[in-house]
Amino acid sequence: MQPFALVIEDNKDHALIFAEALRAADYETEMVYDGETALARLAATAPALVVLDLRIPRVPGREILRYIRAENRLAETRVILATGDHITAERLHNEAEVVLIKPIDFIQLRDLAVRMRPPESAD
């Protein structure tokens, strides 16, 4: 079974590139384009991986990151922050597994996602 990844990015071109990189790393992916929808999806699912843009409409990425870190059922969710803001990236680097500065390379994201895949469950 493929792990689930949620791409939270308001730029639809970036979201598509991120989602394709995650699919290439063998994740089932879903894209959302605003913070309000992201919080609703996070309330209903527990993604293995989230790629999170910090500057998105309705609810900022920083609040979404806080939500993920505060929810016990999301304790295993790994977060890749995607930002063009070097200062914010420096401030938040301890709150995410990885912080990537835009533009983000497809191969770099794919390779990171492969390394972040959860271990296969033994049946």
Side-chain angles (χ1 to χ4, degrees):
M1 184 172 176
Q2 292 178 305
F4 174 63
L6 186 62
V7 174
I8 305 168
E9 166 66 66
D10 63 323
N11 180 304
K12 291 185 180 185
D13 291 333
H14 290 165
L16 185 59
I17 291 167
F18 298 165
E20 287 300 318
L22 297 176
R23 286 185 194 113
D26 204 27
Y27 284 81
E28 174 187 343
T29 63
E30 180 179 336
M31 297 176 287
V32 296
Y33 307 107
D34 67 80
E36 194 173 274
T37 305
L39 287 175
R41 292 302 296 138
L42 287 166
T45 63
L49 179 65
V50 171
V51 177
L52 175 61
D53 180 14
L54 291 174
R55 295 186 183 199
I56 53 175
R58 297 198 183 118
V59 178
R62 193 174 202 157
E63 287 183 35
I64 294 167
L65 179 60
R66 282 191 198 116
Y67 175 83
I68 292 168
R69 294 306 185 217
E71 279 291 312
N72 286 335
R73 64 181 189 76
L74 299 176
E76 299 299 315
T77 298
R78 304 186 88 185
V79 178
I80 297 174
L81 294 181
T83 184
D85 183 346
H86 293 274
I87 294 168
T88 302
E90 182 64 29
R91 275 188 246 151
L92 295 176
H93 79 276
N94 289 328
E95 296 181 43
E97 279 68 31
V98 177
V99 178
L100 298 177
I101 305 297
K102 292 178 180 179
I104 296 169
D105 182 72
F106 178 94
I107 293 170
Q108 177 189 28
L109 180 57
R110 182 203 62 204
D111 292 350
L112 275 170
V114 166
R115 288 196 306 266
M116 296 175 114
R117 281 179 56 89
E120 301 282 332
S121 60
D123 292 326

